[in-house]
Amino acid sequence: MAQVTLEPVHRPLEDLSSRRRGRRRISREIALLAILFGVYNLGRYLSAKHSGSAFAHADELIHLQARLGLPSEAVVQRLALSVPDLAGSANRYYASVHFPLTAIVLLWLLIRRPAEYAKARWALASLTGLALIGHMVFPLAPPRMLPQHGWVDTGVMLGQSVYGPSADGGPANQFAAMPSLHVGWAFMVAVFLIRSTRSRWRWVWIAHPVITFAVVVVTANHYWLDGLIAIALALPLLLIFDSRRVRRDNAPAGAGQSGGRRDGDQRSVGVPAVASSSSARTR
């Protein structure tokens, strides 16, 4: 009686080709994101020409927030300034976390969760496009440019400003306060990571948009409504670009019956195998 042992066939050439396709995809996605970022930066030159209306809109927004009963950001800032080193930490968080963390999360999704990345990319791009329209239609001077209302530019005061004392300084459009992409991107990043991970600690990511919202207010870079409207714009986009729907649509038949099958067992399904001649024995 012959005993046959099945062994998987290794395909090094196919693995090499797959890695090359993966590297090309990563390069292509990075190029796409760079183009989107360039288009956004182009918009700053268009909206930055409307400084007069930006200050008029700021006065209108301040009165609207007062009518809505929102607390004064200036009072919150004064309380923060009374705590040693808190304003400096807020300045550093504002300058160093927003874009780098978003880029790191997108890169991680691209490599480890490609289905989630595809949705995250277009959700972020859509929010950024809507924000660009808002910045052009409704240019808005941030609170730090309005000392007459009680605000202080904590960046200039502590020598940590990413913009400089002039409205024309720095790499970004300083009249792009409405809506706040700092808050909108932070909110989306938290949702992406909560959706794509299973650890019970994933809910800690909620702290990122909460801290970001507090930071933009303490540093006088945004009003309450800037962040609230950014979240309101992000919510429907997160529902439209929901990566969980991709997993349901692409799930193979019987996938729900796999139960406790481990990842290693799942990867072995569908791998062709041949009999090993060295293992064939005859009794």
Side-chain angles (χ1 to χ4, degrees):
M1 178 177 177
Q3 179 179 350
V4 179
T5 302
L6 298 181
E7 296 180 355
V9 174
H10 297 284
R11 296 192 175 118
L13 292 179
E14 290 186 4
D15 292 343
L16 180 60
S17 176
S18 177
R19 288 195 295 270
R20 287 176 178 172
R21 287 196 299 270
R23 287 194 292 267
R24 284 197 298 267
R25 185 188 178 200
I26 292 175
S27 300
R28 186 169 60 248
E29 295 297 337
I30 291 175
L32 175 60
L33 293 174
I35 291 172
L36 290 174
F37 184 70
V39 171
Y40 168 72
N41 275 313
L42 180 62
R44 79 183 181 92
Y45 292 105
L46 301 176
S47 56
K49 297 178 181 179
H50 305 285
S51 59
S53 60
F55 285 98
H57 290 156
D59 289 333
E60 295 171 6
L61 188 69
I62 291 169
H63 288 98
L64 175 59
Q65 290 194 153
R67 289 196 297 270
L68 292 175
L70 293 174
S72 170
E73 299 94 336
V75 173
V76 174
Q77 187 188 57
R78 283 196 294 272
L79 290 173
L81 288 171
S82 66
V83 179
D85 300 324
L86 182 58
S89 298
N91 287 332
R92 287 189 290 272
Y93 196 95
Y94 180 85
S96 61
V97 174
H98 168 59
F99 188 80
L101 180 60
T102 304
I104 291 170
V105 169
L106 284 175
L107 182 61
W108 182 82
L109 290 174
L110 175 61
I111 297 171
R112 301 297 299 273
R113 303 288 190 274
E116 284 84 351
Y117 169 78
K119 294 294 185 178
R121 173 190 60 188
W122 292 118
L124 273 174
S126 299
L127 178 63
T128 304
L130 291 174
L132 177 58
I133 294 172
H135 299 162
M136 295 173 62
V137 174
F138 193 79
L140 180 65
R144 58 187 170 77
M145 293 184 178
L146 303 168
Q148 67 272 25
H149 289 280
W151 284 291
V152 176
D153 189 333
T154 59
V156 172
M157 181 180 69
L158 300 175
Q160 299 172 308
S161 178
V162 296
Y163 301 112
S166 171
D168 298 326
N173 172 21
Q174 299 198 53
F175 297 125
M178 171 66 76
S180 168
L181 278 179
H182 269 75
V183 175
W185 283 16
F187 181 68
M188 281 191 161
V189 162
V191 173
F192 298 153
L193 290 170
I194 290 171
R195 282 179 176 175
S196 60
T197 56
R198 292 293 174 268
S199 169
R200 62 180 179 178
W201 297 103
R202 68 188 187 276
W203 299 103
V204 174
W205 281 107
I206 295 174
H208 178 45
V210 173
I211 293 174
T212 300
F213 209 148
V215 161
V216 298
V217 170
V218 167
T219 58
N221 279 291
H222 287 283
Y223 307 90
W224 296 117
L225 282 177
D226 297 344
L228 293 174
I229 290 177
I231 293 173
L233 291 174
L235 281 171
L237 294 174
L238 289 168
L239 294 175
I240 294 170
F241 298 102
D242 188 347
S243 59
R244 293 171 297 182
R245 294 192 306 180
V246 173
R247 289 199 293 270
R248 287 195 296 268
D249 294 342
N250 294 341
Q257 301 174 0
S258 60
R261 181 181 291 170
R262 297 178 181 176
D263 292 342
D265 297 334
Q266 291 176 346
R267 287 193 295 268
S268 65
V269 175
V271 177
V274 296
S276 172
S277 60
S278 63
S279 302
R281 297 179 182 174
T282 304
R283 290 182 179 177

